[in-house]
Amino acid sequence: MQFESGLRKSLFAATLSLALCSATSFTVSASEFSDSYAAYQSAVSDKNYSDAQVYADKAYQLGKEIYSKGSLDLANLALNLGSALEINDKQTQAFDAYSQALAIYQTHFDDDAIELIDPLIGAADTAEKPKVARKYFIQAIDIAEDADDPILLANTLMSAFNKLSKTPVYSRKIQNYAIKAFEIYEDELPEDAMARVRATYIVGMIRKSKKQDAKAIELLNKVVKQFSVLDYSHPYELASHAQLVELYEKKGLSEKSTQHCIAIGSMRPWLDTQEQVPLYRLPPKYPVNSARAGREGMVQLSFIVDESGFVTKPKVIMSEGGSGFEKESLKAIKHWRYAPKFVDGKPIAAPSTVQLDYTMSKS
């Protein structure tokens, strides 16, 4: 599988002109700056992000004494600092650094210059207010749409979706960013390119949220197919299997969900004390008579999760509230699906328990 870094998802180590021949006129020596910048580059190479931040900041502070206030070299140092701060989860400081870089870039380039995309996305990703982030992303997308680079556009769209989909400004337009990016990746990248696989999962989840189950199943199976060639488990693979279990069970296709239950079981390093968590739950119905009487209850059940993840031999351990709760609990849990436990590489039947609580709404 091909793993390519997304737009701005690693430290920049932006190229500097390093024209330090006139540095003798400053209080900072050329060698002191060069040493700090080299240390920053080395930390980036070693993925030592805490050191990268320290040296990016030092290089930027020294650079302010060497380079002119509006120089691109100083802007690149600010980009490096912003990226280092962002990866160390110091968003406010990162936003300030990206904003400083963007302000300089805007004095050197036209409004539609492709060079503005990196500082725009940096500022968008670290902006505290979603509306501010959206403004920067829209500018970046407008530039990318005019560039003759479909992958750049797809990466920019996906960056916008990843940030804004978790905020109150999320909308159908932002949802379509991910769909458009996926369509570009399908045309431009091989099936095993990580950006394409990631987008396939995201759009699969979008289709699922829109009740387009057939399309969601198709896309999530593509994700599973790509990760099946790896010799390790990936979170997207695990998530795709879990989503497929739910989708197939809702369609009554238990035989198709079984392979995904087993796949999840084989991916998890089971512990003897580990409690099994259902992959698919059919909610029990609230007994009509109990609901009319305002009666609450609970039921504790024991059962066996067999080698295929089906619930077998359910029994009531303890209950409160009456037999109606027991009846509905036993009826519902027979439709639950689990990932079977694995021992020595093989699925085994294993006991499990669960408590179902029946409560009335306070309103």
Side-chain angles (χ1 to χ4, degrees):
M1 177 168 289
Q2 300 178 10
F3 290 85
E4 65 284 325
S5 61
L7 192 68
R8 278 196 53 270
K9 289 306 177 186
S10 59
L11 298 180
F12 279 103
T15 303
L16 305 180
S17 65
L18 297 178
L20 303 176
C21 57
S22 61
T24 53
S25 63
F26 297 91
T27 58
V28 176
S29 70
S31 61
E32 186 179 2
F33 171 82
S34 295
D35 288 347
S36 296
Y37 187 68
Y40 162 74
Q41 290 180 308
S42 178
V44 171
S45 179
D46 294 339
K47 297 183 179 180
N48 185 338
Y49 301 130
S50 58
D51 280 359
Q53 178 188 320
V54 170
Y55 289 115
D57 184 50
K58 187 173 182 180
Y60 176 65
Q61 299 304 328
L62 293 172
K64 287 196 290 187
E65 298 189 41
I66 292 176
Y67 298 113
S68 62
K69 187 176 181 180
S71 74
L72 283 175
D73 285 321
L74 189 60
N76 286 336
L77 289 171
L79 275 179
N80 288 341
L81 178 57
S83 185
L85 289 164
E86 181 182 1
I87 206 167
N88 283 295
D89 203 27
K90 297 184 178 180
Q91 305 302 302
T92 301
Q93 295 165 272
F95 177 78
D96 290 341
Y98 284 132
S99 297
Q100 292 170 31
L102 177 60
I104 296 174
Y105 268 61
Q106 288 172 328
T107 65
H108 287 268
F109 301 102
D110 294 335
D111 291 343
D112 59 352
I114 196 172
E115 288 84 359
L116 297 180
I117 289 182
D118 274 342
L120 280 169
I121 294 183
D125 268 343
T126 55
E128 180 180 356
K129 296 181 179 179
K131 289 184 179 179
V132 174
R134 181 176 59 186
K135 179 189 73 173
Y136 285 127
F137 276 126
I138 289 174
Q139 293 178 46
I141 291 169
D142 287 343
I143 294 170
E145 285 179 334
D146 291 335
D148 188 21
D149 188 340
I151 295 299
L152 174 64
L153 174 57
N155 288 344
T156 306
L157 290 166
M158 193 55 75
S159 291
F161 174 84
N162 289 336
K163 170 74 173 184
L164 300 177
S165 63
K166 306 177 184 69
T167 71
V169 302
Y170 184 57
S171 64
R172 179 172 294 184
K173 180 178 180 180
I174 293 167
Q175 185 179 88
N176 287 337
Y177 287 167
I179 296 172
K180 185 174 180 180
F182 167 67
E183 291 170 350
I184 294 172
Y185 289 141
E186 274 198 312
D187 290 338
E188 301 291 334
L189 295 178
E191 284 186 340
D192 61 352
M194 188 58 190
R196 177 172 170 176
V197 176
R198 186 185 299 114
T200 303
Y201 174 78
I202 290 172
V203 176
M205 293 303 295
I206 290 174
R207 297 304 184 196
K208 180 173 179 283
S209 71
K210 295 167 77 72
K211 309 297 183 184
Q212 299 170 354
D213 291 353
K215 190 61 178 179
I217 287 172
E218 177 188 347
L219 292 169
L220 293 170
N221 271 314
K222 287 182 178 180
V223 176
V224 168
K225 175 185 175 183
Q226 292 306 319
F227 283 118
S228 66
V229 302
L230 300 179
D231 58 0
Y232 64 91
S233 299
H234 190 281
Y236 279 117
E237 180 185 12
L238 181 62
S240 296
H241 280 302
Q243 295 297 332
L244 285 165
V245 170
E246 180 181 343
L247 285 163
Y248 281 132
E249 287 295 334
K250 285 183 176 179
K251 286 181 168 291
L253 301 173
S254 293
E255 72 284 357
K256 289 192 174 182
S257 69
T258 295
Q259 61 178 305
H260 300 287
C261 292
I262 294 173
I264 293 172
S266 68
M267 293 166 67
R268 292 180 173 177
W270 290 104
L271 303 174
D272 290 341
T273 57
Q274 185 172 345
E275 182 178 346
Q276 288 174 283
V277 178
L279 299 171
Y280 173 74
R281 296 173 57 126
L282 179 68
K285 294 180 180 179
Y286 210 104
V288 175
N289 291 337
S290 298
R292 289 173 178 169
R295 187 168 56 248
E296 299 183 339
M298 75 85 178
V299 180
Q300 290 182 356
L301 300 167
S302 68
F303 50 91
I304 301 295
V305 176
D306 71 11
E307 297 86 345
S308 297
F310 286 100
V311 171
T312 62
K313 301 179 181 178
K315 295 180 181 178
V316 175
I317 303 174
M318 183 174 66
S319 70
E320 295 176 359
S323 60
F325 293 118
E326 295 182 4
K327 179 180 178 182
E328 293 299 336
S329 297
L330 288 168
K331 186 186 300 183
I333 203 167
K334 292 177 182 178
H335 297 278
W336 289 22
R337 296 302 303 271
Y338 285 80
K341 286 194 174 184
F342 269 64
V343 175
D344 297 328
K346 295 181 179 180
I348 64 166
S352 190
T353 60
V354 72
Q355 177 172 312
L356 301 180
D357 295 306
Y358 295 81
T359 58
M360 302 291 290
S361 172
K362 298 302 180 183
S363 60

